[in-house]
Amino acid sequence: MSNKTIALIGNQNCGKTTLFNVLTGANQYVGNWPGVTVDKVIGKVSSLDWDIVDLPGLYSLSPYSPEEVVSRNYLLKGDFDAVLNIVDASHLERSLSLTLEVASFGLPMVVALNMIDVMEATGIKIDVEKLSKNLGIKVIDISASKNIGIDKVLEALK
């Protein structure tokens, strides 16, 4: 049994499975359409003896699809130590609604602000420290596809 279980959540197409693959060394299928992950997938960060549970994408804890029901039920069951919430930096407002909803339950959570490199390439800079302070949640800027900021995410989850 692992000494920690992390629930990996986020909207569809935010980079959850890409981050899951980086963290676990797995090669789960990544697709650019809803429903790619239709059930939870569990992997291991072996160097830390942690389980990472990649949950289907969801926009709200009020699910509209069977995949979203899987994610919502897992979160409500609470059989994990922390939530790693992947937020697409290019769709910040839409992504943060789920973050705020999950935060209202008081679950221990770290937000990984993904695709930050894409945003910076467009000239848009997000004040990550201010966002973290306003949310009251640790926010880490990352690029899962380029393996940027992953070490900071793992440190924050410790």
Side-chain angles (χ1 to χ4, degrees):
M1 183 168 172
S2 295
N3 66 20
K4 188 176 279 198
T5 300
I6 308 298
L8 187 57
I9 68 162
N11 296 165
Q12 297 168 351
N13 302 316
C14 69
K16 281 187 325 305
T17 301
T18 300
L19 182 58
F20 176 84
N21 288 340
V22 169
L23 292 172
T24 64
N27 194 21
Q28 288 296 316
Y29 184 69
V30 176
N32 193 23
W33 62 87
V36 172
T37 304
V38 295
D39 200 359
K40 67 182 184 220
V41 177
I42 302 172
K44 186 166 288 293
V45 180
S46 58
S47 63
L48 297 170
D49 192 29
W50 292 357
D51 285 337
I52 304 288
V53 182
D54 184 12
L55 295 166
L58 74 163
Y59 291 101
S60 164
L61 294 179
S62 299
Y64 291 100
S65 70
E67 297 86 21
E68 289 178 316
V69 170
V70 168
S71 296
R72 191 251 348 245
N73 288 349
Y74 185 84
L75 289 171
L76 294 179
K77 185 177 176 190
D79 195 18
F80 52 86
D81 298 292
V83 174
L84 178 52
N85 177 205
I86 311 308
V87 170
D88 179 349
S90 66
H91 294 97
L92 195 56
E93 184 177 350
R94 178 179 70 191
S95 299
L96 287 178
S97 62
L98 175 64
T99 302
L100 294 172
E101 205 172 351
V102 173
S104 72
F105 284 91
L107 301 171
M109 179 168 46
V110 171
V111 170
L113 187 59
N114 194 23
M115 300 183 233
I116 200 73
D117 55 321
V118 174
M119 291 303 297
E120 290 174 353
T122 67
I124 297 172
K125 177 136 176 65
I126 297 172
D127 187 335
V128 176
E129 287 184 30
K130 188 173 185 178
L131 180 61
S132 182
K133 182 180 178 187
N134 287 339
L135 290 173
I137 300 167
K138 183 71 175 170
V139 177
I140 311 288
D141 52 336
I142 72 165
S143 173
S145 65
K146 293 187 177 175
N147 206 1
I148 297 171
I150 306 306
D151 53 337
K152 293 190 292 184
V153 168
L154 292 174
E155 188 61 36
L157 287 168
K158 287 181 183 179

